[in-house]
Amino acid sequence: MSATFWIIIAGAVATYLTRIGGHLVISRFDNIHPRVEAGLNAVPAAVLTTLVAPELLNAGPAEWAALVVTAVVSLRGGLMSMFLAGAAVLIIARQFVG
Amino acid sequence: MSAEAISESRAKSDFWQGVRLSMPVVVASAPFAVLFGALAVDNGFSVLEAFLMSALVFGGASQMVGIQLFGQHVAPWLIVLSIFAVNFRHVLYSAGIGRRIAHWPVIQQALGYFILTDPQYAVAEARAASGRTVGFAWYLGLGLPVYVFWVIESALGAVFGKLIPDTHALGIDFLLPIYFLGLVMGFRKRPLWLPVVVASAAASIIAYKTVGSPWHVSIGAIAGVLLAVILPPHHSGVKARP
């Protein structure tokens, strides 16, 4: 079996643990400490930010334009519209600046 | 009609009621399933591996994170840890929905947790909050179409992705950062969002420059989460639960 296969299996097990873990662990406690809950709330935004921020270092004008448009559209639209707007700007800008 | 036949026909109508509610989710997630398949192939997955990941993980954002890091040749355990971190929010959904489905047989509960996604939680919790019971047939009707379409469309995207000749001109290599930025913006109504994002961004860029990839992911994420924990609770909008 390839390494990719094992990454997928381990990722699947880890994911299932998050889906059943709250029921098995957290629901046994009557109270979650507010600081712990604040930390848990912050996890998705914190992880996803680290996947965007370093890309800014290597980004050219086309990539910057795409990210700015994505951020602006996000103030009004949903995930789909902001993604499509960002992707459209990226594709068009790359035709000119490569 | 016997009591058994009545309960069976109710289960059927509950199932189809769930299916109807699943349709917006099926439509909204379709492009991302195709995109995942295409990007997975672009990052070195086979079509079968893309299909397997969708079938076994069934979590859009975490699958995208997985293939992004895989493409950067990050150590396998760090890829798995990152998938775990992105999916960690399910712990809260699981704790919440557990109260609603505790009356199901254990096998049904085990399956129910497998298809517990963001929209699944949101719709099921809304039903429970309106005073109706969350039955297995209804819950399955809501989740099964999303799962089946997600897996099939991922495989189609992977097949399609092999046919794209110039991935740079189509911007394929930069679609993931755009997608991730969209997800980050989606969380902006949460308390402490801005300080967390600024802290994670700064820490991940510094770590990227000094320690190097892939550590910027863990270091940046820890910085943001620690900040949320350290700031006084009245800033985070979280109150102790009764």
Side-chain angles (χ1 to χ4, degrees):
Chain A
M1 284 297 177
S2 67
T4 319
F5 176 80
W6 290 112
I7 291 171
I8 292 169
I9 298 293
V13 171
T15 301
Y16 191 68
L17 286 179
T18 67
R19 287 185 167 137
I20 200 159
H23 168 63
L24 295 179
V25 179
I26 292 203
S27 50
R28 293 190 191 280
F29 296 96
D30 292 333
N31 284 306
I32 304 176
H33 193 281
R35 286 179 193 267
V36 173
E37 193 173 349
L40 291 177
N41 272 334
V43 169
V47 175
L48 293 165
T49 298
T50 67
L51 297 169
V52 182
E55 298 285 342
L56 298 176
L57 300 175
N58 309 319
E63 290 78 18
W64 270 103
L67 292 176
V68 168
V69 167
T70 305
V72 170
V73 172
S74 77
L75 299 178
R76 298 304 292 270
L79 180 61
M80 200 62 221
S81 47
M82 64 180 121
F83 176 74
L84 289 179
V89 169
L90 176 69
I91 292 169
I92 294 166
R94 279 212 176 153
Q95 311 307 315
F96 297 104
V97 292
Chain B
M1 239 198 254
S2 71
E4 226 167 73
I6 289 173
S7 96
E8 193 180 306
S9 83
R10 176 173 304 159
K12 260 188 196 158
S13 97
D14 276 358
F15 178 82
W16 288 108
Q17 200 195 349
V19 169
R20 271 198 297 282
L21 290 171
S22 78
M23 283 304 125
V25 185
V26 168
V27 172
S29 57
F32 297 110
V34 175
L35 179 69
F36 165 75
L39 291 176
V41 168
D42 196 48
N43 281 278
F45 269 44
S46 70
V47 173
L48 177 68
E49 286 161 350
F51 164 83
L52 261 186
M53 192 178 203
S54 278
L56 297 179
V57 175
F58 187 45
S62 69
Q63 291 178 224
M64 300 285 198
V65 170
I67 55 169
Q68 161 105 339
L69 296 177
F70 184 80
Q72 295 171 0
H73 304 289
V74 165
W77 68 271
L78 250 167
I79 300 179
V80 174
L81 185 67
S82 301
I83 291 172
F84 182 74
V86 172
N87 281 328
F88 201 73
R89 66 190 187 284
H90 291 120
V91 166
L92 297 174
Y93 302 161
S94 163
I97 211 71
R99 296 167 293 167
R100 317 295 193 187
I101 66 173
H103 59 283
W104 298 359
V106 173
I107 297 289
Q108 292 183 357
Q109 287 190 41
L111 181 63
Y113 287 115
F114 180 74
I115 55 171
L116 182 61
T117 55
D118 307 60
Q120 185 80 12
Y121 170 72
V123 178
E125 191 64 35
R127 182 179 171 93
S130 73
R132 285 167 295 176
T133 53
V134 175
F136 179 69
W138 177 84
Y139 185 96
L140 194 65
L142 178 65
L144 193 60
V146 181
Y147 178 79
V148 169
F149 278 97
W150 177 261
V151 173
I152 293 172
E153 288 155 356
S154 301
L156 289 178
V159 172
F160 172 72
K162 280 185 128 54
L163 307 175
I164 300 176
D166 184 356
T167 53
H168 180 80
L170 281 175
I172 301 283
D173 56 299
F174 202 71
L175 289 183
L176 280 175
I178 293 175
Y179 172 74
F180 293 138
L181 176 65
L183 289 177
V184 169
M185 296 301 290
F187 288 110
R188 70 185 184 283
K189 299 266 163 64
R190 288 204 180 180
L192 296 181
W193 177 80
L194 190 60
V196 166
V197 166
V198 171
S200 294
S204 67
I205 288 176
I206 293 168
Y208 187 84
K209 280 284 192 190
T210 54
V211 195
S213 180
W215 297 102
H216 65 282
V217 178
S218 322
I219 293 171
I222 290 170
V225 172
L226 270 185
L227 182 72
V229 171
I230 289 167
L231 286 175
H234 67 269
H235 285 298
S236 56
V238 175
K239 294 186 189 77
R241 287 201 186 132

